[in-house]
């Protein structure tokens, strides 16, 4: 079982947008991974990107250029 921690979760309206973000994040060296949408959140495609809160400043400019639904800060 993974240890829970404070994290950022980005949700997407489409699977294509989630996969596009995954490619961009890997290209830019942003840590994180695709996860199923947590029960506490409702979103379009069922996928979300989970990453450490410490990455927030790094991803803010990138998110403006990409299609995403919401950015959540939560304990997972």
């Amino acid at each position: 079982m993974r240890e829970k921690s404070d994290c950022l979760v980005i949700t997407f309206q489409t699977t294509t947008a989630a996969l596009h973000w995954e490619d961009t994040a890997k290209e830019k060296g942003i840590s994180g991974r695709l996860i199923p949408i947590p029960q506490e959140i409702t979103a379009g495609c069922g996928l979300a990107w989970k990453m450490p809160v410490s990455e927030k400043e790094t991803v803010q400019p990138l998110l403006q250029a990409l299609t995403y639904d919401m950015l959540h800060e939560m304990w997972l």
Side-chain angles (χ1 to χ4, degrees):
M1 180 181 235
R2 293 179 190 253
E3 187 175 316
K4 289 187 177 189
S5 63
D6 197 21
C7 64
L8 293 175
V9 176
I10 303 172
T11 58
F12 305 91
Q13 287 294 323
T14 66
T15 301
T16 303
L19 295 174
H20 180 32
W21 170 256
E22 181 182 39
D23 291 341
T24 301
K26 286 180 181 178
E27 179 182 298
K28 301 290 185 184
I30 298 169
S31 61
R33 63 189 173 93
L34 283 176
I35 62 168
I37 292 285
Q39 292 178 345
E40 300 85 2
I41 302 173
T42 56
C45 78
L47 291 174
W49 182 263
K50 179 183 174 184
M51 65 187 164
V53 174
S54 61
E55 295 278 350
K56 188 172 187 174
E57 298 299 318
T58 305
V59 299
Q60 288 286 9
L62 295 173
L63 289 175
Q64 293 175 5
L66 296 173
T67 304
Y68 75 101
D69 190 25
M70 293 188 72
L71 179 65
H72 307 269
E73 189 167 335
M74 54 192 323
W75 186 260
L76 287 179

